[in-house]
Amino acid sequence: MGIDTPTSDGNTASRNEWPLWEIFIRGQHGLNHRHVGSLHAPDAEMAIKNARDVYTRRNEGVSIWAVEAQHIAASSPSDKGPLFEPAQSKVYRHPTFYDIPDEAGHM
Amino acid sequence: MYAQMVKSTGQGVKDPSEMTDQERAFQERIDRGDRIEPKDWMPEHYRKTLIRQIGQHAHSEIVGQLPEGNWITRAPTLERKAILLAKVQDEAGHGLYLYCAAETLGVSRDQLTEDLLSGKMKYSSIFNYPTLNWADMGAVGWLVDGAAIMNQVPLQRTSYGPYARAMVRICKEESFHQRQGYDIMMKMAKGTPAQKNMAQDALNRTWFPALMMFGPSDAESVHSAQSMAWKIKMNSNDELRQKFVNETVPQAEFLGLTVPDPDCKWNEEKGGYDFSEPDWSEFFDVIKGNGPCNTERLAARNKAWDDGKWVRDGLMAHAEKKEARRVAAE
Ligand SMILES: [Fe+2]
Ligand SMILES: [Fe+2]
C-alpha cells in the first residue's frame, strides 16, 4: 500500500509481486526532492536503477530517493479539516496582513 | 482511443435528487474542478470505470511497443535506430506511469497484467494492424501518436489526480513521437518516386485505423455521458476525430500526399473537413480479436511474461537473501 494507495478492499496484491517504491527526484535547480510517482522493484538498488529509466530519461534529475511505500506514513483525508484548520485563522502570519506606509520604504 | 469503448459500470448519470449525500458532494467537487485523490471517498462505479480505462490505456502503451519494436533492428540508419529505440522506450514508460495510477485505485499490477494476457482486458484496436515497412514507422508516429495526443491533452485536466499527473508526463514526451514520425514521412515523401509511393501506401493503410482509434460515435451513449460528468472523459469521440482530421489533412497536403478518402473536403460552413466514416464492422471485428495481428500481439506479451519469470523470481530471491544477511549482521 503506497501513499497514494487507498485502503479499499479491492486490493488483490496477495501474490509474490515486487514491492512498491515511491520515487522522489531532485531536479536540476537545487530544489527539494519531489514525489514523481512509484514503481515496483525487488530492492532499493533496483528501485533506483529503475527510477532512473522510468523518471529521468530526459535529464529530469540530479538525485533520486526511493522509499518503500509501506514505510510512508500519511495523513488521512478525513482529517483534512481539523488537521489544517489551525493555520486557517492566522492571517497575521502573512506579510500582507501589515499595512506599512510607502514612506517607510521597501520592506 | 487508447482506451476505447470503456463502459462505466453504472446506469448513466444520476439526477442529483437520486444521489446520496456523499455522491452529491463528490459530484460537486468534480463540478468545481477539484482533483479526486486516492484516499478520498469515491463512488464504486467511478473507481471501477477508472481501473478499466487507465488499465486499458496502460495496456495500449505496452502492446503499442510491438509494431514499432518490429523495425528497430531494421531502421535505415543508426540515428533512426536510436530515435526509434528512445520512442519505444518512452512507450514502456507511459505504460508504467499509467499502471502506477491504476494501482492507486486498489488493483494490483499483476492482476492488470494477467487480465491483459488472458484477453479479459483490451488495448487499442490500432495495435492489431501490422507494420509492413519502414514508411509505417513514419505513419504510426505521425498519425497514431497524433491521434493519441488529441485524446491525452484534454485528459491532463481529468478529475482523478494520479491519472491527470500521469497524463502531464506523457504529453510532455508525446510531441517528440509525432514529430519524429512526420520527419520520416517528410524524408520519404520528398525522396525517390518509390519512396514517395511507400509513404502514400503507409498513409492509405493507416488512415482509417487511426480514425477508428477515437471509437464509434458516442453522442447517444449513457456510459460516455457518465464518464463526462465525472470528467474522466473530456470530449466526445466525434469531436476529437473531427479535430484530428482538421489538423492532419493539411499536414498530408504539405507532404504532397493524399488522404485515402475521395469525400474528404473542406466545409467552409462548419469550419472543418467533411470525411468518410471508417468501416465500423471492421473495428468491432478487430476489438473481438479478429484483427490481422491480435493473436500475434497477445502471444508476444504472454511469451515475454513467461520468459521473464525466472528474472523476476531470481531478483526477488536475491533481494530476500541480501536482506536476511543484513538482518543477521545487525
Ligand atoms: Fe505513449
Ligand atoms: Fe507515443
Side-chain angles (χ1 to χ4, degrees), chain A residues 3-6 10-13 15 17-18 36 38 40 42-43 45 54-55 57-58 74 77, chain B residues 38-40 89-90 96-97 100 103-104 106 108-111 114 169 173 176 312 315-316 319 322:
Chain A
I3 43 175
D4 271 351
T5 313
N11 202 298
T12 44
R15 48 203 101 204
E17 215 169 56
W18 287 349
V36 291
S38 49
H40 289 272
D43 58 22
E45 195 187 328
V54 179
Y55 292 111
R57 287 194 303 283
R58 286 176 177 76
Chain B
K39 288 185 176 173
D40 296 346
Q89 192 191 16
D90 272 357
L96 295 179
Y97 308 153
C100 285
E103 281 176 282
T104 66
S108 75
R109 177 78 58 99
D110 282 2
Q111 183 65 55
E114 280 164 25
R169 296 191 71 86
E173 302 177 348
F176 143 59
R312 294 192 301 276
L315 282 174
M316 200 62 222
K322 232 175 37 183

mmCIF file of all heavy atoms in Angstrom, chain A residues 3-6 10-13 15 17-18 36 38 40 42-43 45 54-55 57-58 74 77, chain B residues 38-40 89-90 96-97 100 103-104 106 108-111 114 169 173 176 312 315-316 319 322:
data_model
loop_
_atom_site.group_PDB
_atom_site.id
_atom_site.type_symbol
_atom_site.label_atom_id
_atom_site.label_comp_id
_atom_site.label_asym_id
_atom_site.label_seq_id
_atom_site.Cartn_x
_atom_site.Cartn_y
_atom_site.Cartn_z
ATOM 1 N N ILE A 3 1.593 5.570 -0.519
ATOM 2 C CA ILE A 3 0.946 6.781 -0.012
ATOM 3 C C ILE A 3 -0.257 7.141 -0.868
ATOM 4 O O ILE A 3 -1.158 7.787 -0.419
ATOM 5 C CB ILE A 3 1.903 7.996 0.019
ATOM 6 C CG1 ILE A 3 2.736 8.063 -1.249
ATOM 7 C CG2 ILE A 3 2.773 7.983 1.236
ATOM 8 C CD1 ILE A 3 3.599 9.298 -1.317
ATOM 9 N N ASP A 4 -0.214 6.715 -2.108
ATOM 10 C CA ASP A 4 -1.320 7.027 -2.991
ATOM 11 C C ASP A 4 -2.310 5.873 -3.086
ATOM 12 O O ASP A 4 -3.212 5.885 -3.886
ATOM 13 C CB ASP A 4 -0.790 7.343 -4.399
ATOM 14 C CG ASP A 4 -0.479 8.825 -4.534
ATOM 15 O OD1 ASP A 4 -0.834 9.572 -3.618
ATOM 16 O OD2 ASP A 4 0.114 9.210 -5.550
ATOM 17 N N THR A 5 -2.086 4.839 -2.315
ATOM 18 C CA THR A 5 -2.936 3.667 -2.437
ATOM 19 C C THR A 5 -4.041 3.705 -1.401
ATOM 20 O O THR A 5 -3.769 3.887 -0.225
ATOM 21 C CB THR A 5 -2.099 2.392 -2.250
ATOM 22 O OG1 THR A 5 -0.945 2.513 -3.047
ATOM 23 C CG2 THR A 5 -2.881 1.178 -2.662
ATOM 24 N N PRO A 6 -5.278 3.554 -1.822
ATOM 25 C CA PRO A 6 -6.368 3.612 -0.854
ATOM 26 C C PRO A 6 -6.404 2.342 -0.016
ATOM 27 O O PRO A 6 -5.878 1.315 -0.409
ATOM 28 C CB PRO A 6 -7.614 3.697 -1.741
ATOM 29 C CG PRO A 6 -7.227 3.005 -3.000
ATOM 30 C CD PRO A 6 -5.754 3.228 -3.171
ATOM 31 N N GLY A 10 -10.471 -3.553 -2.466
ATOM 32 C CA GLY A 10 -10.275 -4.051 -3.820
ATOM 33 C C GLY A 10 -8.882 -4.593 -4.102
ATOM 34 O O GLY A 10 -8.638 -5.147 -5.155
ATOM 35 N N ASN A 11 -7.968 -4.432 -3.148
ATOM 36 C CA ASN A 11 -6.595 -4.812 -3.448
ATOM 37 C C ASN A 11 -6.413 -6.317 -3.541
ATOM 38 O O ASN A 11 -6.818 -7.061 -2.672
ATOM 39 C CB ASN A 11 -5.646 -4.242 -2.406
ATOM 40 C CG ASN A 11 -4.242 -4.145 -2.965
ATOM 41 O OD1 ASN A 11 -3.659 -5.158 -3.319
ATOM 42 N ND2 ASN A 11 -3.726 -2.944 -3.092
ATOM 43 N N THR A 12 -5.771 -6.715 -4.630
ATOM 44 C CA THR A 12 -5.581 -8.142 -4.851
ATOM 45 C C THR A 12 -4.103 -8.515 -4.772
ATOM 46 O O THR A 12 -3.702 -9.560 -5.219
ATOM 47 C CB THR A 12 -6.114 -8.524 -6.240
ATOM 48 O OG1 THR A 12 -5.682 -7.537 -7.174
ATOM 49 C CG2 THR A 12 -7.620 -8.596 -6.250
ATOM 50 N N ALA A 13 -3.301 -7.594 -4.198
ATOM 51 C CA ALA A 13 -1.852 -7.804 -4.210
ATOM 52 C C ALA A 13 -1.418 -8.829 -3.173
ATOM 53 O O ALA A 13 -0.724 -8.522 -2.230
ATOM 54 C CB ALA A 13 -1.127 -6.488 -3.977
ATOM 55 N N ARG A 15 -0.084 -11.785 -4.202
ATOM 56 C CA ARG A 15 0.896 -12.682 -4.815
ATOM 57 C C ARG A 15 2.311 -12.176 -4.590
ATOM 58 O O ARG A 15 2.535 -11.192 -3.907
ATOM 59 C CB ARG A 15 0.582 -12.856 -6.283
ATOM 60 C CG ARG A 15 0.341 -11.521 -6.968
ATOM 61 C CD ARG A 15 -0.486 -11.679 -8.207
ATOM 62 N NE ARG A 15 -1.871 -11.311 -7.955
ATOM 63 C CZ ARG A 15 -2.895 -11.748 -8.655
ATOM 64 N NH1 ARG A 15 -2.713 -12.589 -9.620
ATOM 65 N NH2 ARG A 15 -4.116 -11.358 -8.400
ATOM 66 N N GLU A 17 4.504 -10.236 -5.676
ATOM 67 C CA GLU A 17 4.814 -9.082 -6.503
ATOM 68 C C GLU A 17 6.005 -8.353 -5.885
ATOM 69 O O GLU A 17 6.108 -8.264 -4.671
ATOM 70 C CB GLU A 17 3.595 -8.169 -6.501
ATOM 71 C CG GLU A 17 3.350 -7.459 -7.797
ATOM 72 C CD GLU A 17 1.979 -6.779 -7.799
ATOM 73 O OE1 GLU A 17 1.731 -5.980 -6.890
ATOM 74 O OE2 GLU A 17 1.183 -7.061 -8.702
ATOM 75 N N TRP A 18 6.853 -7.776 -6.713
ATOM 76 C CA TRP A 18 7.910 -6.912 -6.181
ATOM 77 C C TRP A 18 7.268 -5.780 -5.386
ATOM 78 O O TRP A 18 6.239 -5.238 -5.801
ATOM 79 C CB TRP A 18 8.717 -6.297 -7.322
ATOM 80 C CG TRP A 18 9.635 -7.250 -8.018
ATOM 81 C CD1 TRP A 18 9.975 -8.517 -7.625
ATOM 82 C CD2 TRP A 18 10.343 -7.008 -9.236
ATOM 83 N NE1 TRP A 18 10.841 -9.071 -8.532
ATOM 84 C CE2 TRP A 18 11.084 -8.167 -9.520
ATOM 85 C CE3 TRP A 18 10.426 -5.919 -10.098
ATOM 86 C CZ2 TRP A 18 11.906 -8.267 -10.651
ATOM 87 C CZ3 TRP A 18 11.238 -6.011 -11.221
ATOM 88 C CH2 TRP A 18 11.970 -7.179 -11.490
ATOM 89 N N VAL A 36 7.534 11.909 -7.710
ATOM 90 C CA VAL A 36 7.204 11.870 -9.129
ATOM 91 C C VAL A 36 6.333 10.677 -9.497
ATOM 92 O O VAL A 36 5.735 10.647 -10.566
ATOM 93 C CB VAL A 36 8.468 11.832 -10.022
ATOM 94 C CG1 VAL A 36 9.200 13.159 -9.944
ATOM 95 C CG2 VAL A 36 9.389 10.680 -9.637
ATOM 96 N N SER A 38 5.583 6.141 -8.640
ATOM 97 C CA SER A 38 6.052 4.944 -7.963
ATOM 98 C C SER A 38 6.443 3.889 -8.982
ATOM 99 O O SER A 38 6.228 4.048 -10.180
ATOM 100 C CB SER A 38 4.965 4.422 -7.019
ATOM 101 O OG SER A 38 3.737 4.340 -7.705
ATOM 102 N N HIS A 40 7.676 -0.677 -9.147
ATOM 103 C CA HIS A 40 7.951 -1.916 -8.427
ATOM 104 C C HIS A 40 9.412 -2.307 -8.618
ATOM 105 O O HIS A 40 9.947 -2.175 -9.718
ATOM 106 C CB HIS A 40 7.066 -3.045 -8.955
ATOM 107 C CG HIS A 40 5.634 -2.883 -8.583
ATOM 108 N ND1 HIS A 40 5.127 -3.375 -7.407
ATOM 109 C CD2 HIS A 40 4.607 -2.270 -9.212
ATOM 110 C CE1 HIS A 40 3.832 -3.083 -7.334
ATOM 111 N NE2 HIS A 40 3.493 -2.405 -8.419
ATOM 112 N N PRO A 42 12.585 -5.177 -6.704
ATOM 113 C CA PRO A 42 12.842 -6.147 -5.634
ATOM 114 C C PRO A 42 13.579 -5.523 -4.441
ATOM 115 O O PRO A 42 13.372 -5.944 -3.314
ATOM 116 C CB PRO A 42 13.692 -7.219 -6.314
ATOM 117 C CG PRO A 42 14.270 -6.560 -7.521
ATOM 118 C CD PRO A 42 13.286 -5.522 -7.948
ATOM 119 N N ASP A 43 14.430 -4.558 -4.687
ATOM 120 C CA ASP A 43 15.163 -3.940 -3.574
ATOM 121 C C ASP A 43 15.506 -2.485 -3.911
ATOM 122 O O ASP A 43 15.228 -2.006 -5.017
ATOM 123 C CB ASP A 43 16.438 -4.741 -3.233
ATOM 124 C CG ASP A 43 17.375 -4.873 -4.430
ATOM 125 O OD1 ASP A 43 17.280 -4.048 -5.369
ATOM 126 O OD2 ASP A 43 18.195 -5.808 -4.447
ATOM 127 N N GLU A 45 18.307 -0.908 -4.456
ATOM 128 C CA GLU A 45 19.260 -0.677 -5.533
ATOM 129 C C GLU A 45 18.555 -0.725 -6.892
ATOM 130 O O GLU A 45 18.747 0.146 -7.755
ATOM 131 C CB GLU A 45 20.322 -1.784 -5.439
ATOM 132 C CG GLU A 45 21.575 -1.535 -6.217
ATOM 133 C CD GLU A 45 22.472 -2.779 -6.196
ATOM 134 O OE1 GLU A 45 22.464 -3.521 -5.188
ATOM 135 O OE2 GLU A 45 23.163 -2.995 -7.206
ATOM 136 N N VAL A 54 12.766 5.113 -15.640
ATOM 137 C CA VAL A 54 11.353 5.478 -15.783
ATOM 138 C C VAL A 54 11.145 6.987 -15.651
ATOM 139 O O VAL A 54 10.348 7.567 -16.369
ATOM 140 C CB VAL A 54 10.478 4.722 -14.747
ATOM 141 C CG1 VAL A 54 9.005 5.126 -14.889
ATOM 142 C CG2 VAL A 54 10.611 3.219 -14.915
ATOM 143 N N TYR A 55 11.891 7.613 -14.747
ATOM 144 C CA TYR A 55 11.561 9.015 -14.428
ATOM 145 C C TYR A 55 12.620 10.053 -14.813
ATOM 146 O O TYR A 55 12.407 11.236 -14.615
ATOM 147 C CB TYR A 55 11.230 9.135 -12.936
ATOM 148 C CG TYR A 55 9.947 8.425 -12.574
ATOM 149 C CD1 TYR A 55 9.948 7.271 -11.790
ATOM 150 C CD2 TYR A 55 8.724 8.902 -13.041
ATOM 151 C CE1 TYR A 55 8.766 6.613 -11.465
ATOM 152 C CE2 TYR A 55 7.539 8.251 -12.724
ATOM 153 C CZ TYR A 55 7.571 7.112 -11.941
ATOM 154 O OH TYR A 55 6.395 6.471 -11.636
ATOM 155 N N ARG A 57 14.520 10.022 -18.006
ATOM 156 C CA ARG A 57 15.055 9.775 -19.357
ATOM 157 C C ARG A 57 15.465 11.061 -20.065
ATOM 158 O O ARG A 57 16.137 11.029 -21.077
ATOM 159 C CB ARG A 57 14.016 9.042 -20.220
ATOM 160 C CG ARG A 57 13.834 7.591 -19.857
ATOM 161 C CD ARG A 57 13.062 6.842 -20.935
ATOM 162 N NE ARG A 57 11.761 7.429 -21.191
ATOM 163 C CZ ARG A 57 10.706 7.269 -20.408
ATOM 164 N NH1 ARG A 57 10.807 6.563 -19.306
ATOM 165 N NH2 ARG A 57 9.553 7.835 -20.710
ATOM 166 N N ARG A 58 14.993 12.203 -19.557
ATOM 167 C CA ARG A 58 15.340 13.460 -20.225
ATOM 168 C C ARG A 58 16.011 14.419 -19.251
ATOM 169 O O ARG A 58 15.676 15.599 -19.219
ATOM 170 C CB ARG A 58 14.093 14.091 -20.830
ATOM 171 C CG ARG A 58 13.617 13.361 -22.075
ATOM 172 C CD ARG A 58 12.342 13.920 -22.618
ATOM 173 N NE ARG A 58 11.935 13.253 -23.847
ATOM 174 C CZ ARG A 58 11.381 12.042 -23.890
ATOM 175 N NH1 ARG A 58 11.170 11.364 -22.778
ATOM 176 N NH2 ARG A 58 11.039 11.519 -25.044
ATOM 177 N N ALA A 74 1.029 8.654 6.166
ATOM 178 C CA ALA A 74 0.313 9.745 5.504
ATOM 179 C C ALA A 74 -0.864 10.189 6.351
ATOM 180 O O ALA A 74 -1.472 9.387 7.053
ATOM 181 C CB ALA A 74 -0.164 9.282 4.126
ATOM 182 N N PRO A 77 -7.361 11.656 4.631
ATOM 183 C CA PRO A 77 -8.125 12.744 4.014
ATOM 184 C C PRO A 77 -9.286 13.214 4.898
ATOM 185 O O PRO A 77 -9.659 14.388 4.856
ATOM 186 C CB PRO A 77 -8.645 12.139 2.712
ATOM 187 C CG PRO A 77 -8.398 10.680 2.787
ATOM 188 C CD PRO A 77 -7.370 10.434 3.825
ATOM 189 N N PRO B 38 -6.426 9.464 -4.262
ATOM 190 C CA PRO B 38 -6.684 8.044 -3.991
ATOM 191 C C PRO B 38 -7.433 7.736 -2.702
ATOM 192 O O PRO B 38 -8.267 6.850 -2.679
ATOM 193 C CB PRO B 38 -5.284 7.441 -3.955
ATOM 194 C CG PRO B 38 -4.485 8.318 -4.831
ATOM 195 C CD PRO B 38 -5.039 9.696 -4.684
ATOM 196 N N LYS B 39 -7.120 8.440 -1.633
ATOM 197 C CA LYS B 39 -7.753 8.071 -0.375
ATOM 198 C C LYS B 39 -9.092 8.769 -0.152
ATOM 199 O O LYS B 39 -9.757 8.533 0.850
ATOM 200 C CB LYS B 39 -6.808 8.358 0.794
ATOM 201 C CG LYS B 39 -5.648 7.364 0.827
ATOM 202 C CD LYS B 39 -4.773 7.556 2.045
ATOM 203 C CE LYS B 39 -3.692 6.481 2.081
ATOM 204 N NZ LYS B 39 -2.722 6.730 3.143
ATOM 205 N N ASP B 40 -9.481 9.650 -1.071
ATOM 206 C CA ASP B 40 -10.779 10.316 -0.943
ATOM 207 C C ASP B 40 -11.915 9.328 -1.211
ATOM 208 O O ASP B 40 -11.747 8.366 -1.953
ATOM 209 C CB ASP B 40 -10.903 11.459 -1.972
ATOM 210 C CG ASP B 40 -9.883 12.555 -1.730
ATOM 211 O OD1 ASP B 40 -9.281 12.576 -0.642
ATOM 212 O OD2 ASP B 40 -9.679 13.389 -2.648
ATOM 213 N N GLN B 89 11.012 3.086 -25.956
ATOM 214 C CA GLN B 89 11.282 3.075 -24.514
ATOM 215 C C GLN B 89 10.332 4.032 -23.790
ATOM 216 O O GLN B 89 9.838 3.726 -22.708
ATOM 217 C CB GLN B 89 12.734 3.467 -24.247
ATOM 218 C CG GLN B 89 13.158 3.185 -22.806
ATOM 219 C CD GLN B 89 14.505 3.809 -22.447
ATOM 220 O OE1 GLN B 89 15.004 4.690 -23.143
ATOM 221 N NE2 GLN B 89 15.085 3.335 -21.368
ATOM 222 N N ASP B 90 10.072 5.182 -24.396
ATOM 223 C CA ASP B 90 9.084 6.112 -23.819
ATOM 224 C C ASP B 90 7.740 5.421 -23.624
ATOM 225 O O ASP B 90 7.058 5.616 -22.624
ATOM 226 C CB ASP B 90 8.860 7.310 -24.755
ATOM 227 C CG ASP B 90 9.840 8.452 -24.508
ATOM 228 O OD1 ASP B 90 10.664 8.352 -23.573
ATOM 229 O OD2 ASP B 90 9.774 9.441 -25.257
ATOM 230 N N LEU B 96 4.117 2.291 -17.646
ATOM 231 C CA LEU B 96 4.421 2.214 -16.208
ATOM 232 C C LEU B 96 3.760 3.352 -15.430
ATOM 233 O O LEU B 96 3.220 3.133 -14.346
ATOM 234 C CB LEU B 96 5.933 2.218 -15.982
ATOM 235 C CG LEU B 96 6.658 0.994 -16.545
ATOM 236 C CD1 LEU B 96 8.158 1.094 -16.289
ATOM 237 C CD2 LEU B 96 6.124 -0.296 -15.945
ATOM 238 N N TYR B 97 3.800 4.581 -15.957
ATOM 239 C CA TYR B 97 3.118 5.684 -15.241
ATOM 240 C C TYR B 97 1.652 5.324 -15.029
ATOM 241 O O TYR B 97 1.070 5.582 -13.974
ATOM 242 C CB TYR B 97 3.127 7.011 -16.027
ATOM 243 C CG TYR B 97 4.443 7.526 -16.553
ATOM 244 C CD1 TYR B 97 4.476 8.341 -17.694
ATOM 245 C CD2 TYR B 97 5.648 7.246 -15.925
ATOM 246 C CE1 TYR B 97 5.673 8.839 -18.203
ATOM 247 C CE2 TYR B 97 6.840 7.740 -16.433
ATOM 248 C CZ TYR B 97 6.845 8.528 -17.578
ATOM 249 O OH TYR B 97 8.013 9.013 -18.091
ATOM 250 N N CYS B 100 0.896 2.560 -12.490
ATOM 251 C CA CYS B 100 1.000 3.130 -11.138
ATOM 252 C C CYS B 100 -0.289 3.865 -10.780
ATOM 253 O O CYS B 100 -0.788 3.734 -9.667
ATOM 254 C CB CYS B 100 2.147 4.127 -11.046
ATOM 255 S SG CYS B 100 3.743 3.354 -11.000
ATOM 256 N N GLU B 103 -2.976 1.413 -10.012
ATOM 257 C CA GLU B 103 -2.757 0.735 -8.733
ATOM 258 C C GLU B 103 -3.256 1.551 -7.540
ATOM 259 O O GLU B 103 -3.624 0.991 -6.518
ATOM 260 C CB GLU B 103 -1.267 0.429 -8.550
ATOM 261 C CG GLU B 103 -0.816 -0.778 -9.328
ATOM 262 C CD GLU B 103 0.688 -1.002 -9.201
ATOM 263 O OE1 GLU B 103 1.454 -0.293 -9.883
ATOM 264 O OE2 GLU B 103 1.091 -1.848 -8.403
ATOM 265 N N THR B 104 -3.249 2.877 -7.680
ATOM 266 C CA THR B 104 -3.734 3.697 -6.565
ATOM 267 C C THR B 104 -5.228 3.490 -6.335
ATOM 268 O O THR B 104 -5.773 3.921 -5.332
ATOM 269 C CB THR B 104 -3.498 5.202 -6.814
ATOM 270 O OG1 THR B 104 -4.298 5.626 -7.915
ATOM 271 C CG2 THR B 104 -2.046 5.510 -7.077
ATOM 272 N N GLY B 106 -6.505 0.538 -6.133
ATOM 273 C CA GLY B 106 -6.684 -0.705 -5.387
ATOM 274 C C GLY B 106 -6.665 -1.967 -6.226
ATOM 275 O O GLY B 106 -7.158 -2.998 -5.809
ATOM 276 N N SER B 108 -3.985 -4.632 -8.289
ATOM 277 C CA SER B 108 -2.544 -4.887 -8.276
ATOM 278 C C SER B 108 -1.997 -4.919 -9.701
ATOM 279 O O SER B 108 -2.726 -5.172 -10.660
ATOM 280 C CB SER B 108 -2.232 -6.208 -7.585
ATOM 281 O OG SER B 108 -2.560 -7.283 -8.440
ATOM 282 N N ARG B 109 -0.701 -4.680 -9.795
ATOM 283 C CA ARG B 109 -0.046 -4.697 -11.106
ATOM 284 C C ARG B 109 -0.174 -6.069 -11.762
ATOM 285 O O ARG B 109 -0.483 -6.180 -12.946
ATOM 286 C CB ARG B 109 1.437 -4.348 -10.926
ATOM 287 C CG ARG B 109 2.266 -4.402 -12.194
ATOM 288 C CD ARG B 109 2.050 -3.181 -13.043
ATOM 289 N NE ARG B 109 2.370 -1.979 -12.316
ATOM 290 C CZ ARG B 109 3.525 -1.309 -12.430
ATOM 291 N NH1 ARG B 109 4.429 -1.728 -13.277
ATOM 292 N NH2 ARG B 109 3.738 -0.233 -11.729
ATOM 293 N N ASP B 110 0.048 -7.111 -10.961
ATOM 294 C CA ASP B 110 -0.019 -8.457 -11.542
ATOM 295 C C ASP B 110 -1.421 -8.781 -12.033
ATOM 296 O O ASP B 110 -1.595 -9.453 -13.045
ATOM 297 C CB ASP B 110 0.442 -9.503 -10.512
ATOM 298 C CG ASP B 110 1.968 -9.535 -10.402
ATOM 299 O OD1 ASP B 110 2.630 -8.728 -11.080
ATOM 300 O OD2 ASP B 110 2.493 -10.368 -9.630
ATOM 301 N N GLN B 111 -2.424 -8.294 -11.299
ATOM 302 C CA GLN B 111 -3.802 -8.543 -11.727
ATOM 303 C C GLN B 111 -4.041 -7.905 -13.096
ATOM 304 O O GLN B 111 -4.604 -8.535 -13.994
ATOM 305 C CB GLN B 111 -4.781 -7.952 -10.706
ATOM 306 C CG GLN B 111 -6.234 -8.223 -11.032
ATOM 307 C CD GLN B 111 -6.564 -9.702 -10.957
ATOM 308 O OE1 GLN B 111 -6.322 -10.349 -9.937
ATOM 309 N NE2 GLN B 111 -7.074 -10.265 -12.052
ATOM 310 N N GLU B 114 -2.223 -9.907 -15.731
ATOM 311 C CA GLU B 114 -2.904 -11.172 -16.032
ATOM 312 C C GLU B 114 -4.162 -10.952 -16.867
ATOM 313 O O GLU B 114 -4.469 -11.751 -17.748
ATOM 314 C CB GLU B 114 -3.256 -11.904 -14.733
ATOM 315 C CG GLU B 114 -2.053 -12.640 -14.170
ATOM 316 C CD GLU B 114 -2.232 -13.061 -12.718
ATOM 317 O OE1 GLU B 114 -3.399 -13.220 -12.285
ATOM 318 O OE2 GLU B 114 -1.212 -13.212 -12.022
ATOM 319 N N ARG B 169 2.917 14.000 -17.641
ATOM 320 C CA ARG B 169 4.223 13.440 -18.007
ATOM 321 C C ARG B 169 4.197 12.917 -19.439
ATOM 322 O O ARG B 169 5.121 13.131 -20.223
ATOM 323 C CB ARG B 169 4.596 12.277 -17.073
ATOM 324 C CG ARG B 169 4.786 12.634 -15.626
ATOM 325 C CD ARG B 169 5.410 11.446 -14.882
ATOM 326 N NE ARG B 169 6.795 11.275 -15.293
ATOM 327 C CZ ARG B 169 7.807 11.933 -14.743
ATOM 328 N NH1 ARG B 169 7.591 12.764 -13.761
ATOM 329 N NH2 ARG B 169 9.033 11.746 -15.167
ATOM 330 N N GLU B 173 6.163 14.057 -23.407
ATOM 331 C CA GLU B 173 7.032 13.212 -24.229
ATOM 332 C C GLU B 173 6.441 12.923 -25.602
ATOM 333 O O GLU B 173 7.161 12.558 -26.532
ATOM 334 C CB GLU B 173 7.298 11.891 -23.484
ATOM 335 C CG GLU B 173 7.936 12.157 -22.150
ATOM 336 C CD GLU B 173 8.178 10.908 -21.321
ATOM 337 O OE1 GLU B 173 7.660 9.836 -21.663
ATOM 338 O OE2 GLU B 173 8.895 11.016 -20.320
ATOM 339 N N PHE B 176 7.476 14.678 -29.240
ATOM 340 C CA PHE B 176 8.648 14.104 -29.914
ATOM 341 C C PHE B 176 8.228 12.914 -30.785
ATOM 342 O O PHE B 176 8.690 12.755 -31.912
ATOM 343 C CB PHE B 176 9.709 13.715 -28.863
ATOM 344 C CG PHE B 176 10.500 12.453 -29.109
ATOM 345 C CD1 PHE B 176 11.266 12.297 -30.251
ATOM 346 C CD2 PHE B 176 10.509 11.429 -28.163
ATOM 347 C CE1 PHE B 176 12.010 11.140 -30.460
ATOM 348 C CE2 PHE B 176 11.248 10.276 -28.371
ATOM 349 C CZ PHE B 176 11.992 10.124 -29.527
ATOM 350 N N ARG B 312 12.276 -12.268 -12.714
ATOM 351 C CA ARG B 312 11.513 -11.693 -11.596
ATOM 352 C C ARG B 312 11.751 -12.490 -10.316
ATOM 353 O O ARG B 312 12.031 -11.925 -9.254
ATOM 354 C CB ARG B 312 10.006 -11.691 -11.925
ATOM 355 C CG ARG B 312 9.618 -10.770 -13.064
ATOM 356 C CD ARG B 312 8.100 -10.583 -13.151
ATOM 357 N NE ARG B 312 7.361 -11.833 -13.342
ATOM 358 C CZ ARG B 312 7.150 -12.419 -14.531
ATOM 359 N NH1 ARG B 312 7.648 -11.872 -15.635
ATOM 360 N NH2 ARG B 312 6.453 -13.540 -14.620
ATOM 361 N N LEU B 315 15.530 -12.108 -9.039
ATOM 362 C CA LEU B 315 15.835 -10.827 -8.388
ATOM 363 C C LEU B 315 15.175 -10.749 -7.012
ATOM 364 O O LEU B 315 15.738 -10.211 -6.066
ATOM 365 C CB LEU B 315 15.369 -9.662 -9.261
ATOM 366 C CG LEU B 315 16.292 -9.333 -10.448
ATOM 367 C CD1 LEU B 315 15.659 -8.271 -11.334
ATOM 368 C CD2 LEU B 315 17.658 -8.860 -9.966
ATOM 369 N N MET B 316 13.985 -11.306 -6.903
ATOM 370 C CA MET B 316 13.288 -11.304 -5.617
ATOM 371 C C MET B 316 14.046 -12.170 -4.616
ATOM 372 O O MET B 316 14.250 -11.784 -3.460
ATOM 373 C CB MET B 316 11.861 -11.831 -5.820
ATOM 374 C CG MET B 316 10.892 -11.457 -4.723
ATOM 375 S SD MET B 316 10.662 -9.676 -4.589
ATOM 376 C CE MET B 316 10.691 -9.515 -2.824
ATOM 377 N N ALA B 319 17.103 -10.365 -3.482
ATOM 378 C CA ALA B 319 16.783 -9.287 -2.543
ATOM 379 C C ALA B 319 16.491 -9.859 -1.152
ATOM 380 O O ALA B 319 16.935 -9.315 -0.137
ATOM 381 C CB ALA B 319 15.586 -8.496 -3.056
ATOM 382 N N LYS B 322 19.776 -11.020 0.483
ATOM 383 C CA LYS B 322 20.568 -9.862 0.923
ATOM 384 C C LYS B 322 19.996 -9.272 2.206
ATOM 385 O O LYS B 322 20.731 -8.915 3.130
ATOM 386 C CB LYS B 322 20.557 -8.788 -0.188
ATOM 387 C CG LYS B 322 21.947 -8.340 -0.560
ATOM 388 C CD LYS B 322 22.012 -7.374 -1.739
ATOM 389 C CE LYS B 322 20.894 -6.370 -1.801
ATOM 390 N NZ LYS B 322 20.939 -5.502 -2.996
#
